[in-house]
Amino acid sequence: QVQLDESGGGSVQAGGSLRLSCAASGYTDSTASLGWFRQAPGKEREGVAALRRRSGITYYADSVQGRFIISQDNAKNIVYLQMNSLKAEDSATYYCAAAPLAYWPLRPADYKYWGQGTQVTVSS
């Protein structure tokens, strides 16, 4: 059984920063791919950043490239999403997701396990 627990959401002004955390528990092989996704009201869920844990290869959506950083602490089994230079359009519920292998790391359908989400609100 895989469990993902997100934390770190909140409200921030445009230009500010937040760091999201995702604590993963369960079989390591089931969380070889980890990703952060977001969904704003009335919009589809979209991939923001992803990580192949063994290789450390990262993937980013064009909209966050250069502003967001995904990283991992293997000892604590936590994946982080550092979000800098936040914009109003970054406001959404952010979800952590995991899969044994995500062929398309930023595609939600490739992920089997999901956290409950954490809200991020950026005011302009």
Side-chain angles (χ1 to χ4, degrees):
Q1 186 73 15
V2 173
Q3 185 169 344
L4 304 172
D5 294 312
E6 305 104 331
S7 61
S11 297
V12 65
Q13 289 191 332
S17 298
L18 282 174
R19 189 178 77 163
L20 306 182
S21 300
C22 173
S25 61
Y27 294 113
T28 301
D29 287 349
S30 296
T31 61
S33 293
L34 275 166
W36 284 99
F37 297 80
R38 66 187 182 188
Q39 188 168 18
K43 295 188 176 181
E44 293 187 355
R45 191 168 297 188
E46 62 174 351
V48 174
L51 171 71
R52 295 197 191 278
R53 301 186 73 178
R54 292 191 184 94
S55 66
I57 296 174
T58 57
Y59 305 84
Y60 295 96
D62 289 344
S63 58
V64 306
Q65 180 76 46
R67 299 189 297 123
F68 290 11
I69 301 171
I70 187 171
S71 62
Q72 60 179 332
D73 183 332
N74 284 329
K76 297 180 180 180
N77 218 17
I78 296 176
V79 175
Y80 301 100
L81 184 67
Q82 178 67 43
M83 305 187 294
N84 301 318
S85 302
L86 283 162
K87 306 175 182 179
E89 51 263 43
D90 294 319
S91 296
T93 300
Y94 282 71
Y95 299 89
C96 177
L101 176 63
Y103 288 100
W104 299 100
L106 295 179
R107 186 171 67 179
D110 279 43
Y111 289 80
K112 182 176 181 180
Y113 306 101
W114 291 84
Q116 293 189 339
T118 185
Q119 181 67 39
V120 172
T121 303
V122 184
S123 57
S124 56

